[in-house]
Amino acid sequence: MNFNQAASLYKLGVLPSEKMVDVAISALESGSDEEAIVMLAIETDKTLGTLKPLFEECLRVLNLDALSNKETLEYAAQHYASLANSGAISEVEFGFKVGSFHDEYKLEGMLWDAFQNAMWYEEAPYEYGYPKYLESNRAFQAECLQKIRIIIERYSA
């Protein structure tokens, strides 16, 4: 996870405090020498009360403290796409993760499509009580997964 992605997850309220230190350490390993990042990376008290002001200072120094809604969703989608590519979450979980921000951010375009396809995948009836539709449902679910994979590829670039 990079600072752009961490900033977006922070704005969305889903960044665990321990990840704040991890992203600072990664930034240092990548060559950053910002004092704010160093201070966050070496902090030993991992409570949110201690880390939050240090993390917010990093965001301010990096000009990531005022992400637009569109940037926030883009960076979050990139993070979840990397998790899907690594196998940490499934394609359907990717759709639901980005979809969880719909109420506040009104998803549109590909992120909305990912969320819809995740819902359709889950809602397709299985063989229980629907044996004559089993093959068409499996084909429909495969189609939903393929559409989500295409979206994940787009956010992985």
Side-chain angles (χ1 to χ4, degrees), residues 7-155:
S8 73
L9 297 179
Y10 180 73
K11 182 177 177 180
L12 294 167
V14 296
L15 181 68
S17 59
E18 64 271 7
K19 293 294 183 187
M20 293 176 182
V21 174
D22 293 346
V23 76
I25 292 170
S26 293
L28 291 177
E29 290 171 346
S30 297
S32 177
D33 62 354
E34 293 288 345
E35 182 180 350
I37 295 173
V38 172
M39 295 304 293
L40 178 58
I42 64 172
E43 180 57 57
T44 57
D45 182 358
K46 306 297 187 215
T47 62
L48 184 59
T50 302
L51 296 178
K52 181 179 176 183
L54 295 171
F55 186 75
E56 288 175 349
E57 178 61 15
C58 291
L59 297 183
R60 189 191 63 71
V61 167
L62 297 171
N63 294 317
L64 295 172
D65 55 337
L67 293 177
S68 70
N69 288 350
K70 181 179 181 186
E71 290 171 316
T72 299
L73 292 173
E74 291 279 322
Y75 292 137
Q78 289 171 8
H79 171 67
Y80 292 129
S82 70
L83 291 178
N85 285 329
S86 73
I89 63 173
S90 70
E91 293 92 342
V92 173
E93 287 173 300
F94 169 86
F96 283 122
K97 290 232 182 244
V98 297
S100 69
F101 308 119
H102 176 66
D103 287 345
E104 188 171 345
Y105 290 91
K106 304 300 179 223
L107 297 179
E108 44 188 48
M110 285 193 289
L111 294 179
W112 175 249
D113 291 344
F115 181 46
Q116 281 187 313
N117 277 285
M119 287 189 302
W120 293 334
Y121 177 90
E122 289 291 318
E123 291 175 358
Y126 294 93
E127 62 264 27
Y128 305 108
Y130 301 96
K132 68 181 185 178
Y133 301 114
L134 182 58
E135 279 309 308
S136 64
N137 287 338
R138 287 185 178 154
F140 178 70
Q141 286 181 311
E143 184 180 319
C144 291
L145 286 179
Q146 183 57 32
K147 289 177 181 178
I148 297 170
R149 283 186 195 112
I150 290 168
I151 294 166
I152 290 170
E153 286 175 24
R154 188 287 190 196
Y155 284 99

